[in-house]
Amino acid sequence: MSGHGPAIPMTARKSAPLRGTAQIPGDKSISHRALILGALSVGETHVTGLLEGQDVLDTARAMRAFGAEVIQNGPGDWTVHGVGVGGFREPDCVIDCGNSGTGVRLIMGAMATTDITATFTGDASLNKRPMGRVTDPLALFGAQAVGRRGGRLPMTVIGAQDPVPARYHVPMPSAQVKSAVLLAGLNAPGQTVVIESEPTRDHSERMLRGFGAEITVEDTDEGRVITLTGQPELRGQNVAVPRDPSSAAFPVCAALMVQDSDILVPGVSQNPTRNGIFTTLQEMGADLVMENPRIEGGEPVADLRVRFSALKGVDVPPERAASMIDEYPILSALAATAEGVTTMRGVKELRVKESDRLDAMARGLEACGVRVSETEDSLTVHGMGAGGVPGGATVQTHLDHRIAMAFLCLGLTTQKPVTIDDASPIATSFPAFEGLMADLGGQITRDNT
Ligand code: S3P
């Protein structure tokens, strides 16, 4: 959905202690992959706990355009009848991936080794983001792409007629690029090899294996080497989507910031390629306990018990960045309420997310009275202690759901309210955010109602 509706300004105010249970929706990364792999399989895939955020709904619509049958049976309960590896048909309309970098990059990969052509577009945020990082490796398979200057959408991808397998060392830590290459490798004969210097989220590898692909992962001196044997017959699966740790991070950090809060966040994924935020919070002194650890839907999960805590600033090392890449906006907000300085290093990938997140957080925090400094690759936040952030500002969110949620959480604990210019992008990843925060006791209101 490339058009956004009217902007929805919202204001967060100092709140009483947050209390209760936060039911987090399904993981966004896994939801996209369940639909795409379901579409590339033979037979039926049944997905429960699918995130029904706009990003994932856009991927569902795209899979229909490529020929799969995608049906919603009930809330979070979806069925996909796939067309098999190499079975995508040529869409007769432009594929609109809305706000979703994951959607567009994975789908480009999935169609790049089939002899079809597709044109992709997105919203104003997605159309600014670099696609060359995906189309460069897809060219190794024989695919071609023509887009706007700088490799931007709208862009047409012409799938390879006679795909060849590829060997590709991903030059930046990016699960989207890794996944696009693996998905392209599905319809290339022989072995496709992807090497990543730093491990990034491994949902594609886990799910490809679960759907019946032959895939090996080896840790070597070169990095993590992933080898996929092409042209498998993927078979439809039952997928139970775990709850999204990146969405959970918002109520978790809100509870850590708001005096005397005590909340439970059940069944949150603890996949080691995603859980860097929880390690960091514990280093800051958070009273965060992982209760009842277990395996659900093939992923480790736990119930998170979170109580308000006096936090201290920390240095977040670059090697942890990939495992918490989406959590830096809320961590930056939280760091403003800690005692002392927090420095986040090795985070230049944040400059090419839904917005330039380093810039968006730095400008928003400054507007709220917080001292920050940034380099191309780092952000430093000078904490003001619990209850010490002045607030009293309107923050620009640049069509970025995580910037919007980060400042609404911060506003629950600032001296004066924090307003954001537009909360509408929150629906891309966490449509239930407003209601969930209200149920916990957060004072967040729409300004135009
Ligand atoms: C994602 C990978 C990450 C992350 C995004 C989801 C995925 O992006 O920021 O929200 O599902 O593969 P990059 O791979 O570009 O780092």
Side-chain angles (χ1 to χ4, degrees), residues 27-33 55 100-103 105-106 129 133 172-180 200-204 244 246 274 321-322 324-327 349-350 352-354 357 401-402:
D27 188 87
K28 182 150 70 75
S29 294
I30 295 177
S31 295
H32 281 294
R33 286 159 173 80
D55 280 8
S100 180
T102 306
R105 292 182 175 130
L106 268 55
R129 298 178 67 186
R133 54 176 53 199
M172 70 289 287
S174 173
Q176 292 174 358
V177 176
K178 168 178 69 177
S179 303
T200 62
R201 64 191 67 193
D202 63 356
H203 308 303
S204 296
D244 197 322
S246 299
R274 296 286 298 280
M324 53 176 288
I325 194 67
D326 292 336
E327 285 64 80
E349 274 294 301
L350 294 179
V352 290
K353 295 294 177 189
E354 286 82 331
R357 286 183 171 160
H401 54 130
R402 298 200 200 279

Side-chain angles (χ1 to χ4, degrees), residues 136-142 164-171 181-182 184-185 188-196 218 220-228:
D136 287 352
L138 295 184
L140 303 175
F141 292 92
V164 288
R167 180 182 175 87
Y168 190 64
H169 196 137
V170 184
V181 176
L182 289 172
Q191 292 194 322
T192 285
V193 180
V194 191
I195 303 147
E196 54 179 5
E218 260 179 298
T220 72
D221 292 345
E222 241 191 320
R224 190 168 270 195
V225 179
I226 304 150
T227 306
L228 172 83

